[in-house]
Amino acid sequence: MNDPGSTVPAATLRLDPDATGLAQAAALLCAGELVAFPTETVYGLGADATDPAAVARIFAAKERPRFNPLIAHLADRDAALAEGRFDESARRLAEAFWPGPLTLVVPAHAGTRVCDLARAGLSSVALRVPGHPIARALLEAVGRPVAAPSANRSGRVSPTRADHVLDDLAARIAALLDGGDTPVGVESTVVACLGGQPRLLRPGGITRDALRAVLGFDPADPEAADADRPTGPGMLASHYAPRARVRLNAASVEPGEALLLFGAERPEGHDQARAVLNLSPAGDLAEAASRLFGALRNLDASGAATIAVAPIPAEGLGEAIRDRLARAAAPR
Ligand code: TXA
Ligand code: MG
């Protein structure tokens, strides 16, 4: 398909997630190429996490700063446990939520196969066992850790369907496994277990309430030092950004703005909006999370200069939705 050594594929193969497509995707990954694949949260941009040259291609394709470490994805819990040192809290969280939308940051095992570049030189490693059947089948076929950030260009809205991936990365990646819409729609919850109390680094598909129920206490907030020196895109203030400006908690709508609704409330002037989408007319936060990134992309495509967003409740998955919206609204 490519010249030897080429890192820019002429075109991106779109693969069906059947036995043939999965085998092709696995072979490409093992050959050091980039393959996007669905997880239950968002599409990931995969590369062999043991191969620094392959991992370097992720940073190049996404235009991602190299100080942002990547999550290593494993086929099952035992494979993940082998890559890091798990304290009591980490073990309980892994037991309760893997496979699923949880990433655990733990001290890297001395013999970890996840290369330095994937870990951005840190002594810790971020591990996740996704629950999506296509992701699991792919990881099993590859048989080694797969580094996978969300399959968008750095700073952009995360992809929840195959077309979103191609919008950002077509011709930058060898292949894409098309698994339709991703069910959760926001990224995994990232919890650091590095000694002391576990820290919630990024709210996501596993709610704070669910973490508390397993831990028996609330996870701590990130250390101030983490915010000064962001260890990942989830900690950068401006992220998940559409082209349009994003205005939160809109009580009213200006003519020509696009409008993102939740539930039955209608802000004043809603009938003057240029385009309107409702994350969940019934007020269901899981449905809202699954639609969030697609809605931001669609409202952006309306050409409106500003997307006004109705208030979103803070409980449950609302915490992750509000986090992503706040980053989309942050000054760039
Ligand atoms: O749902 C998800 O997590 C998706 C799918 C593809 O698995 N992946 C994803 O990756 O969202 P990415 O690269 O967009 O976000 C990775 C997050 C960063 O925000 C960073 O905070 C955290 O993982 N991270 C990774 N390694 C870390 C480390 N060693 N220490 C602290 N945070 C780390
Ligand atoms: Mg991301």
Side-chain angles (χ1 to χ4, degrees):
M1 182 175 61
N2 299 321
D3 297 331
S6 162
T7 56
V8 183
T12 299
L13 281 174
R14 193 174 182 132
L15 302 172
D16 287 328
D18 54 15
T20 312
L22 283 164
Q24 211 171 342
L28 284 165
L29 283 172
C30 291
E33 299 287 347
L34 301 182
V35 177
F37 62 96
T39 79
E40 70 274 40
T41 58
V42 301
Y43 276 76
L45 175 55
D48 178 353
T50 70
D51 176 356
V55 171
R57 290 185 180 143
I58 290 182
F59 288 98
K62 278 186 63 102
E63 298 169 36
R64 172 170 170 132
R66 286 190 177 211
F67 62 77
N68 280 337
L70 305 173
I71 299 170
H73 296 65
L74 286 303
D76 57 52
R77 201 184 300 144
D78 284 344
L81 293 175
E83 300 298 333
R85 298 203 311 275
F86 287 67
D87 63 14
E88 174 64 19
S89 297
R91 241 192 308 273
R92 288 168 69 160
L93 292 171
E95 177 79 26
F97 298 117
W98 280 349
L102 176 73
T103 294
L104 289 171
V105 174
V106 298
H109 194 275
T112 183
R113 294 172 292 168
V114 180
C115 70
D116 255 23
L117 181 58
R119 296 188 284 115
L122 297 172
S123 57
S124 57
V125 62
L127 301 168
R128 167 153 131 77
V129 180
H132 195 294
I134 297 172
R136 301 199 73 192
L138 179 66
L139 291 166
E140 210 156 288
V142 170
R144 57 187 98 160
V146 170
S150 51
N152 51 277
R153 286 205 211 174
S154 193
R156 302 285 307 279
V157 177
S158 297
T160 55
R161 57 173 55 174
D163 284 339
H164 298 164
V165 176
L166 294 178
D167 286 348
D168 270 21
L169 298 174
R172 291 180 177 219
I173 63 177
L176 158 70
L177 271 170
D178 187 347
D181 288 356
T182 59
V184 176
V186 292
E187 297 85 348
S188 62
T189 299
V190 181
V191 177
C193 298
L194 297 170
Q197 207 175 337
R199 292 185 184 278
L200 177 55
L201 300 187
R202 178 176 74 180
I206 300 289
T207 65
R208 187 186 287 270
D209 291 344
L211 296 174
R212 186 192 301 114
V214 167
L215 290 170
F217 54 84
D218 248 319
D221 291 329
E223 280 173 288
D226 296 339
D228 291 346
R229 197 185 66 80
T231 50
M235 292 171 174
L236 298 175
S238 172
H239 202 64
Y240 312 103
R243 182 195 43 75
R245 206 170 74 84
V246 173
R247 191 162 68 77
L248 301 180
N249 298 316
S252 64
V253 182
E254 304 299 321
E257 285 186 330
L259 175 59
L260 188 57
L261 292 170
F262 175 82
E265 299 286 320
R266 295 292 172 271
E268 202 179 304
H270 67 93
D271 44 349
Q272 308 196 55
R274 179 184 189 124
V276 183
L277 288 174
N278 197 325
L279 289 174
S280 173
D284 175 343
L285 286 164
E287 180 178 50
S290 74
R291 291 183 179 171
L292 175 67
F293 290 139
L296 286 175
R297 282 180 186 255
N298 286 337
L299 291 179
D300 214 13
S302 76
T306 302
I307 301 172
V309 183
I312 310 283
E315 75 256 12
L317 281 172
E319 184 179 4
I321 297 171
R322 288 159 57 105
D323 171 80
R324 304 308 187 268
L325 285 168
R327 292 176 202 280
R332 304 188 192 145

